[in-house]
Amino acid sequence: MTTTTDHLPGQAGAAPPAAALQRVARLNLWRGGLLAAVTWLALGTLVLQWPNKEVGFSDWAYTDEFGVAALTVAAVLALLSVGGPWTARVVFLLRPAAQWLIALPLLLGVWEILTAKLGVLPTPFFAPPQALIEVYGEDWPRLGLSTAHSLRLLAHGFASGATVGFVVGVWIGWSRIAGYWVHPVLRFLGPVPASALLPLAFFFAPSSYAAAVFLIALASFFPIAVLTWSGVAAVSKSYYDVARTLGASERFLVLRVAIPAALPQVFVGLFMGLGAAFSVLVTAEMMGVKAGLGWYLQWAQGWAAYSNMYAALFVMAILCSGLITLLFKVRDHALSWQKGTVKW
């Protein structure tokens, strides 16, 4: 009997990967994949068959390539949907994203109609999807170099801010003297935006790169320090009492009791610090730095190259999302021993 349901039969919870793959292999049809293939087919047909509204004396480049790419995605999804056991592993990975695979071509189609087909959104402020393909295809050396410079700057600034913030947070949470003197200063200066100190940073720093590193480190320092302090201060006193009863030293209490118990709060601070670092990254690279995504955005705005600006924004979004996903993986690995007591 042919099964066409889009959900795994009899699945009450998260099935083990091997069992889930066997169930997927028994399905002869992936209905969500076929629906996604139809939407991508409609997008490709719309792009290729509906003439663009010409702006000035030129047409949008890479329109045919965009349409062919959409048709290719439709063909791949259709093959995966009817592949049966041969495509079970890929379908198992794509099944949770089925709704996005349907929504994405619909959003791209609306975007295409409002820009390239009807011209409702005026140029050059708005560009169709194929304009981004043109940027990635022709300006990838400059955009790639800017991405590499931003990654280097972000790594230096965030690593410095996270390290100092973690150490200061543990110090404040553990030491009453540090809590009395340092904590009020931290609460007083913490709400001040790091970008507000931009003129001072560029005045005192030996170079524009050092000033940018300092601003990113400062932006990530405060949330990490505050949440690390909160995590250490919230550790139950009974943990310390039990450890002291067993002869634990002060060093052991800090490294093996306080810090592991505070790690969930530390990772929350790292997530917040990474978001703050990305916000300051753009501002810092717009002021004096000669490369980076922030510099690229300013350059694109100066030449009214809004397609390049949108392409850089997409790269920044993918970069930020990828780093946050990586941080989640590190968090899951570091806190695997706390899964029974920590809400994930």
Side-chain angles (χ1 to χ4, degrees), residues 32 61 91 110 115 135 148 216 247 267 284 295 303 328:
V91 171
V110 173
T115 52
V135 173
I216 294 173
F267 276 100
W295 171 87
W303 287 96
F328 267 109

Side-chain angles (χ1 to χ4, degrees), residues 22-76:
Q22 292 176 0
R23 293 183 181 184
V24 171
R26 289 197 297 266
L27 299 179
N28 296 326
L29 186 65
W30 179 27
R31 187 171 57 186
L34 280 180
L35 184 57
V38 171
T39 55
W40 281 99
L41 176 63
L43 174 63
T45 305
L46 180 147
V47 172
L48 294 175
Q49 299 300 322
W50 190 344
N52 293 335
K53 181 178 180 181
E54 294 190 7
V55 179
F57 297 98
S58 61
D59 194 4
W60 294 109
Y62 288 87
T63 298
D64 292 340
E65 290 81 354
F66 178 40
V68 171
L71 295 179
T72 303
V73 174
V76 171

